[in-house]
Amino acid sequence: TVALLHHIVRPSPHSPIHAIYAENGEYAASLNAIGSAHEADKLLAQVDNQKFPNALLFRSYVHIWQWDWEGAVPYLEKYIKLLEVDQPMRFWGIVNLAQSLMHGCGDLTRAQILLTEVVSKTSFNQYRLLHKSALFGLAQIHILEKEWKQAEVALKHLEERVIKDNDPIFDLLLAQWKCLCDLYRALETGEDRDQALAQLRKVRARFKATRRWENVRSCYYYEATCFKNEKLLIQLYFGTTYPTFR
């Protein structure tokens, strides 16, 4: 997309071509996807949100992909209130807002309310990816709230329903949080800690094989914080380029 839109968004001085807001927005989103977050955010800031509402969603992604969950919240709050946003895209805004509230602000109560709304208005037959993403978020909340039975039920239900989806990244994320469920519970009970950690490390290796580096980093982060591994925390601190992760 960057290559396709570059000559439109960045035309030569004598070119008659002028990019519309949608082209600027899509170009910026593609820049963010390849790591040019600063340039993407600068370009998105120039886009009229009324004419291209997705600019707000894309700006939230700039923050989310840099671990700045709290920084994404204001853009998502505005996005889901715009009348120009259609229902499916509004749901995506809500799911991302819930994740940002969960991981950035620690507001699990509101995150649960938002995700429950999406689950109630979608299904595995209609808006399947939205539905399973919202269910996944609810499972994460159960884990973070240490509601082990509810977490197990939610994870098992998801695993059974998505097994044939051929969505390897979602499967890996689901496997990661199954491991975290086991690990957090093991830390609470003092049983099977090593086994739970070994499973998390296996998931980390699978993320590494698919070159999902920030997911790899997240696995190291959970290991370091769970076991209060100061050496690993220092490595994570100096190994990331994202200030908000530190």
Side-chain angles (χ1 to χ4, degrees), residues 103 136 140 143-144 148 151 155 173-187 196-197 199-200 203 207 218-223 225-226:
H103 298 299
F136 177 59
Q140 289 176 292
I143 293 167
L144 294 173
W148 308 126
L155 291 169
L173 291 170
L174 189 57
Q176 180 188 31
W177 278 83
K178 283 181 64 180
C179 291
L180 289 175
C181 183
D182 293 339
L183 182 56
Y184 287 147
R185 183 164 50 181
L187 290 171
L197 177 58
Q199 292 302 313
L200 180 63
V203 171
F207 275 129
S218 72
C219 290
Y220 278 118
Y221 169 80
Y222 290 122
E223 177 178 342
T225 53
C226 283

Side-chain angles (χ1 to χ4, degrees), residues 48-68:
D48 186 329
N49 298 326
Q50 296 297 324
K51 294 181 179 178
F52 186 67
N54 280 355
L56 288 168
L57 183 65
F58 293 163
R59 290 195 81 178
S60 77
Y61 290 162
V62 170
H63 290 272
I64 289 171
W65 293 0
Q66 297 181 85
W67 297 88
D68 183 15

